[in-house]
């Protein structure tokens, strides 16, 4: 069901919000033990909210467009009074003391928060296997990963546990799990959505964005969460000139899409390359033109990201010292000194991947290496930004794959960090350049879901969301 279908049903009294919530939790209770999408369920909050909505409907009063819509939230975004773990042992007993701005905005929309979803610890990973708390399975094939790091959110939407979800995307963590689970995922422009109340991982790359069953739903959710926020100085006012919900389809059909040769040259599996060709033909049938573009510094994206990201991680995660937030040591533990308490708490509370990034990040920032690594990476970052600017001289939107292949098997890559890092080759450059990227399920026949990516100019979410809506409107889903 899409959000607009849900809205209609609710307003036409085909079902009540309370009935919807009850049914949803029955489904979650019976199916989520296998899938593992949720870390926490919020039934009390959800039932109270549903009752409130039903009483407003009974009185015949108006409700905001997202009222009653059941949403799942990645467990790295704060909801006041609720646990927020970042899927880390170090925050296993932490309770959020305030609402993230996106949560505040969605509360004003009267949505229903179903629960908090699993992720790779502190959002570092591409399979959700780095969660210190549980694994999540791909609803399309339980032997496979849902992608990551927002794997729980993607799986929750794909499994029908929520009509939408929030995730965060630092290097691909919304788009890649969306592609693996066959749902839509939007990584907005850096600054389009406030990061206040999102636990900071790599602050120059992190963005919150929605998962949904359709591009139209993702547009509705994005519209509700975007905009300037005085608590995040990088946030920018929403551009109200763009109609996200009712795009001008005839104008969109005149768009030019750029095909970056570097993304299509190597590394993609055959079925993925074939699917990309089919999607390209489908888009051409809609009227859009394709032109070749070049992003020559693509080959440096991965090394640039894996310097800047760990550097920022090492600074951001210094706050988890075992003193602030919640302790991880048993109550009877008495350290000899503060340093020992830090060592013990961080040693015990943080997982292997998180430690790896902190060590890497501390190294690239350290005296003597800073210029060779961190400064150089920042210089290359500027070149990657420039590549996209040049490409957008020729094209309105860039067309790309999301991943080199479909969802891999659980355990297949968990002992090989480098091959896990390579997962992000097509998604990282978008974060490095601060651009919006949309992952859309390709309407082609395939055993496992395949996503394609539309990359827009800065703050031109309307272009990629509009094209995505056009694609969904005019290209029928493949027959089974
Ligand atoms: N997989 C990437 C990483 O491990 C991206 C994660 C993310 O976007 N949060 O850093």
């Amino acid at each position: 069901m899409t959000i607009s279908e849900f809205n209609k049903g609710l307003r036409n009294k085909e079902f009540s919000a309370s009935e919807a919530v009850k049914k949803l939790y029955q489904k979650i209770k019976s199916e989520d033990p296998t899938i593992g999408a949720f870390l926490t369920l919020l039934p009390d909050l959800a039932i109270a909210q549903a009752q409130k909505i039903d009483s407003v409907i009974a009185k015949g009063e108006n409700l905001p467009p997202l009222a009653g819509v059941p949403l799942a939230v990645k467990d790295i975004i704060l909801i006041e009074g609720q646990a927020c773990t970042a899927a880390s042992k170090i925050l296993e007993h932490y309770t959020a003391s305030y609402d993230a701005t996106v949560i505040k905005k969605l509360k004003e929309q009267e949505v229903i928060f179903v629960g908090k979803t699993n992720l790779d610890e502190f959002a570092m990973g591409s399979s959700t296997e780095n969660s210190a708390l549980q694994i999540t399975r791909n609803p399309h094939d339980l032997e496979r990963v849902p992608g990551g790091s927002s794997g729980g959110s993607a799986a929750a939407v794909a499994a029908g546990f929520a009509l939408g979800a929030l995730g965060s995307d630092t290097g691909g963590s919304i788009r890649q799990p969306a592609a693996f689970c066959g749902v839509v995922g939007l990584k907005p422009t850096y600054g389009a959505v406030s990061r206040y109340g999102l636990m900071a991982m790599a602050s120059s790359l992190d963005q919150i964005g929605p998962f949904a069953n359709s591009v139209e739903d993702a547009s509705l959710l994005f519209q509700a969460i975007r905009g300037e926020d005085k608590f995040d100085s990088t946030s920018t006012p929403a551009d109200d000139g763009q109609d996200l919900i009712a795009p001008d389809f005839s104008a969109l059909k005149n768009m030019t899409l750029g095909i970056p040769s570097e993304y299509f040259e190597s590394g993609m599996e055959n079925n993925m390359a074939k699917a990309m060709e089919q999607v390209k033909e489908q888009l051409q049938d809609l009227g859009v033109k394709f032109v070749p573009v070049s992003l020559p510094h693509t080959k440096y994206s991965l090394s640039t990201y894996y310097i800047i990201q760990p550097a920022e991680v090492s600074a951001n995660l210094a706050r988890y010292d075992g003193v602030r937030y919640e302790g991880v040591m048993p109550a009877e533990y008495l350290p000899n000194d503060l340093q020992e308490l830090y060592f013990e708490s961080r040693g015990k509370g943080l997982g292997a991947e998180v430690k790896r990034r902190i060590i890497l990040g501390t190294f690239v920032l350290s005296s003597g290496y800073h210029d060779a690594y961190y400064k150089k990476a920042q210089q290359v970052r500027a070149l990657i930004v420039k590549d996209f600017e040049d490409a957008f001289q020729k094209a309105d939107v860039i067309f790309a794959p999301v991943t080199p292949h479909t969802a891999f098997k659980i355990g297949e890559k968990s002992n090989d960090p480098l091959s896990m890092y390579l997962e992000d080759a097509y998604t990282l450059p978008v974060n490095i350049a601060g651009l919006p990227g949309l992952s859309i399920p390709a309407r082609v026949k395939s055993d496992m879901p395949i996503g394609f990516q539309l990359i827009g100019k800065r703050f031109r979410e309307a272009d990629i969301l509009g094209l995505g809506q056009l694609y969904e409107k005019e290209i029928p889903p493949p027959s089974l």
Side-chain angles (χ1 to χ4, degrees), residues 123-126 149 169-173 201 305-306 309 357 424:
M124 288 173 234
S126 305
S149 65
D169 189 315
T170 305
S173 279
M201 193 258 262
Y305 176 88
Y306 278 100
Q309 189 267 1
R357 305 272 179 117
D424 307 324

Side-chain angles (χ1 to χ4, degrees), residues 348-362:
K348 206 170 145 179
L350 298 173
E353 184 60 32
V354 174
K355 285 179 188 154
R356 185 177 295 126
R357 305 272 179 117
I358 291 173
I359 293 168
L360 262 172
T362 310

